[in-house]
Amino acid sequence: MSDLRDPALYDALLLLSFGGPEGPDDVVPFLANVTRGRGIPEERLKEVGKHYFLFGGVSPINAQNRSLLDALRKDFADHGLELPVYWGNRNWAPYLTDTLRDMVEDGHRRIAVLATSAYASYSGCRQYRENLAESLAVLEAEGLPVPRVDKLRHYFNHPGFVRPMVDGVLASLADLPDDVRAGAHLAFTTHSIPTSAADSSGPVETHGDGGSYVAEHLDVARVIVDAVREETGIDHPWQLVYQSRSGAPHIPWLEPDICDHLETLHGAGVPAVVMAPIGFVSDHMEVLYDLDTEATAKAAELGLPVRRSATVGADPRFAAAVRELLLERTVAEEGRPVDRCALGALGASHDLCPAGCCPARAVRPAAAGADSPYA
């Protein structure tokens, strides 16, 4: 799609993310935003926030998003794509509603949205769509024009997202001691979610047995394993594992946990492990604490050599992938045929989330889907 330069229908791109505290005083208010409506007392929030306090109360996600913004703007400019890029968060400044208000006041009326979550799930897709609907309702109540927002498709299997992760795994393998490298196992990690949420992720026809959430991660893992085998000639054993579980202990969540998995591998005599956080776009707190701190400490306790491969972050190939996603959506919206880039067995994801996709426990309006109240 390198010959396509005109986004035509779209007059801006919105980078939509989770947000994170940028100092110690921000931690508890940020967590209060994240857990709003659950009645969690402040003392409990301080306990939950201990991971942030270990890093000076600063989440790396905001700096990562600023770097991605720079990469997107540079890629767009280098390819003659004149499209402003904005940034809004779900849980911390810059807040989504404020950013959308700024975009409308700047004259933008058709906005493409890139969420910093590559896979289908309630928290990774529909909740962002609900956030968009809430913010659009605020603008409407303020008497402002309500823009059309189109969320770009899931990009978990786009080459510009996958290839940087392949290179990260290869670099981590190369960094292992020579005597353990060939026998290293690959542990592909992603955020654990309740099994009920996993089972209902994606379109209705994919529900059950982990839904689209698990299927998409497994597909990406297989692509990476195949690429590593092609590059190294070694077929490394692998497994999809989970991290960052939270919530009530009696509710089933996806397993095994990465730390439990490391213990299992060590007990089986595995000589080394590469942890590949394929479920995360950037090195935010779940990566820095749950993998670089907690899981790495567990491996040291076991005497098990581990390496953690890089996330995609602001890799120029990912920025180029976003440009391709934007341009392919433009062509599709104009009713023209378009080739969609996708690796693996699942093919390219849908543009428009269908009704029943990643449902919430409580029904709320969600923008940028077949059931959106905003056309």
Side-chain angles (χ1 to χ4, degrees):
M1 296 186 63
S2 58
D3 59 327
L4 295 173
R5 296 192 175 194
D6 183 7
L9 297 176
Y10 298 106
D11 51 28
L13 174 70
L14 169 64
L15 178 66
L16 177 56
S17 195
F18 191 81
E22 301 207 71
D25 293 342
D26 296 345
V27 172
V28 171
F30 161 74
L31 291 173
N33 287 342
V34 174
T35 61
R36 183 179 291 113
R38 301 182 199 173
I40 299 177
E42 182 174 327
E43 288 307 310
R44 175 58 182 156
L45 294 179
K46 290 179 180 178
E47 174 65 20
V48 172
K50 64 183 181 181
H51 300 168
Y52 293 96
F53 292 121
L54 289 175
F55 295 88
V58 178
S59 168
I61 192 171
N62 288 337
Q64 293 281 340
N65 281 327
R66 292 185 184 99
S67 295
L68 180 55
L69 284 171
D70 290 342
L72 291 171
R73 289 164 178 159
K74 182 180 187 304
D75 179 87
F76 287 7
D78 288 348
H79 291 84
L81 190 62
E82 297 182 1
L83 196 75
V85 184
Y86 293 74
W87 168 36
N89 288 325
R90 172 187 294 167
N91 296 304
W92 202 249
Y95 287 104
L96 172 59
T97 301
D98 296 335
T99 299
L100 280 174
R101 185 184 296 108
D102 289 343
M103 296 177 82
V104 167
E105 291 176 347
D106 289 344
H108 302 300
R109 298 294 182 268
R110 186 82 185 256
I111 298 166
V113 180
L114 176 79
T116 56
S117 177
Y119 300 85
S121 70
Y122 171 72
S123 57
C125 183
R126 185 175 176 92
Q127 190 172 11
Y128 280 120
R129 293 176 48 224
E130 291 176 355
N131 299 148
L132 285 166
E134 291 168 3
S135 294
L136 293 175
V138 171
L139 300 187
E140 187 174 40
E142 293 174 353
L144 294 171
V146 177
R148 164 81 177 261
V149 294
D150 290 337
K151 182 179 177 291
L152 299 179
R153 68 174 171 93
H154 301 302
Y155 46 84
F156 63 93
N157 57 3
H158 193 288
F161 184 69
V162 176
R163 187 64 217 190
M165 293 191 291
V166 171
D167 290 348
V169 172
L170 289 169
S172 292
L173 285 168
D175 192 48
L176 285 169
D178 294 344
D179 60 334
V180 299
R181 184 180 305 126
H185 282 224
L186 308 180
F188 295 103
T189 77
T190 190
H191 208 300
S192 184
I193 61 175
T195 56
S196 59
D199 290 346
S200 62
S201 60
V204 172
E205 60 269 20
T206 70
H207 289 181
D209 196 23
S212 292
Y213 186 74
V214 171
E216 290 169 0
H217 283 86
L218 288 173
D219 203 43
V220 170
R222 292 186 189 103
V223 170
I224 295 173
V225 168
D226 289 346
V228 169
R229 182 193 309 114
E230 185 175 339
E231 293 274 349
T232 66
I234 300 173
D235 193 6
H236 290 275
W238 64 276
Q239 186 169 338
L240 177 64
V241 300
Y242 303 93
Q243 60 174 92
S244 313
R245 177 191 166 128
S246 60
H250 68 280
I251 297 175
W253 284 52
L254 293 173
E255 296 177 336
D257 176 78
I258 178 60
C259 290
D260 294 338
H261 184 59
L262 292 176
E263 288 189 343
T264 299
L265 293 182
H266 176 258
V270 171
V273 179
V274 169
M275 302 182 294
I278 62 172
F280 305 91
V281 173
S282 65
D283 289 5
H284 51 66
M285 188 58 68
E286 281 81 356
V287 176
L288 262 62
Y289 182 80
D290 296 335
L291 293 184
D292 292 355
T293 304
E294 191 173 49
T296 299
K298 171 57 71 174
E301 172 190 319
L302 296 169
L304 178 65
V306 295
R307 298 292 185 272
R308 195 270 290 177
S309 66
T311 53
V312 174
D315 190 291
R317 291 168 291 184
F318 181 43
V322 174
R323 170 171 43 84
E324 288 196 352
L325 291 169
L326 173 67
L327 295 175
E328 77 166 34
R329 182 63 179 270
T330 296
V331 174
E333 289 291 319
E334 292 174 345
R336 294 186 283 145
V338 58
D339 292 328
R340 300 174 184 268
C341 293
L343 300 174
L346 296 180
S349 184
H350 48 262
D351 281 335
L352 197 66
C353 290
C357 195
C358 303
R361 285 176 293 180
V363 178
R364 300 183 184 89
D371 53 356
S372 171
Y374 299 99

